[in-house]
Amino acid sequence: MLIRELDLFFDQLVFHGFWVYPASIIALITVIYASQEREQTLSALAEFMKNNYFPILCLGLGITLVYSRLFGMGSMWHQVLGHDYHRIVKNIAEESSELLGYVLMFYASINYVYSYFKHQTSNN
């Protein structure tokens, strides 16, 4: 997601649409690694999903990947605002909902790390 968010940087540095290549390479490497360590991957995923902050992480992902994209559809804003359509209004609404999703994911991630370290110190 970070690579996709940096698409403007890649567009200016290399060429338009370049972000697809590094994102694809990372996704491919991740899938290959996960498939080679299938047992460990599945047990780690199960443990990850048991955490209390997993639903918050999923909510953040849903808001960022689905809601903000749907909410940012230009055609919807044209229908709602008609002749008063200004792209800046759509951008503010879309980017703020996306930011909300990222904040929720960050909050869940920080709490994941905190609960991991808390668990590690209680085991020692």
Side-chain angles (χ1 to χ4, degrees):
M1 288 176 62
L2 176 63
I3 291 171
R4 175 64 179 101
E5 287 296 325
L6 294 173
D7 67 331
L8 180 62
F9 171 74
F10 287 123
D11 288 350
Q12 293 172 348
L13 186 66
V14 187
F15 61 85
H16 181 70
F18 177 78
W19 69 270
V20 172
Y21 299 104
S24 298
I25 290 168
I26 290 173
L28 184 64
I29 290 169
T30 304
V31 168
I32 290 170
Y33 178 77
S35 65
Q36 289 176 347
E37 303 288 335
R38 190 169 291 144
E39 295 281 327
Q40 186 179 352
T41 300
L42 291 176
S43 66
L45 179 61
E47 192 67 32
F48 186 76
M49 293 172 69
K50 288 179 189 174
N51 191 292
N52 292 336
Y53 292 97
F54 183 73
I56 296 172
L57 182 68
C58 289
L59 178 64
L61 280 168
I63 289 171
T64 302
L65 297 176
V66 179
Y67 178 76
S68 71
R69 300 293 181 237
L70 294 174
F71 200 60
M73 290 175 51
S75 58
M76 179 195 75
W77 286 96
H78 279 289
Q79 288 180 344
V80 170
L81 298 175
H83 295 295
D84 293 327
Y85 172 79
H86 297 285
R87 185 174 173 84
I88 189 73
V89 174
K90 178 200 84 76
N91 288 349
I92 290 170
E94 180 181 10
E95 295 299 326
S96 62
S97 63
E98 199 172 292
L99 179 61
L100 173 64
Y102 281 127
V103 166
L104 288 172
M105 287 187 282
F106 180 71
Y107 174 75
S109 299
I110 293 298
N111 282 288
Y112 264 110
V113 171
Y114 176 74
S115 65
Y116 173 78
F117 284 123
K118 186 177 173 182
H119 179 73
Q120 289 297 324
T121 50
S122 67
N123 286 343
N124 291 335

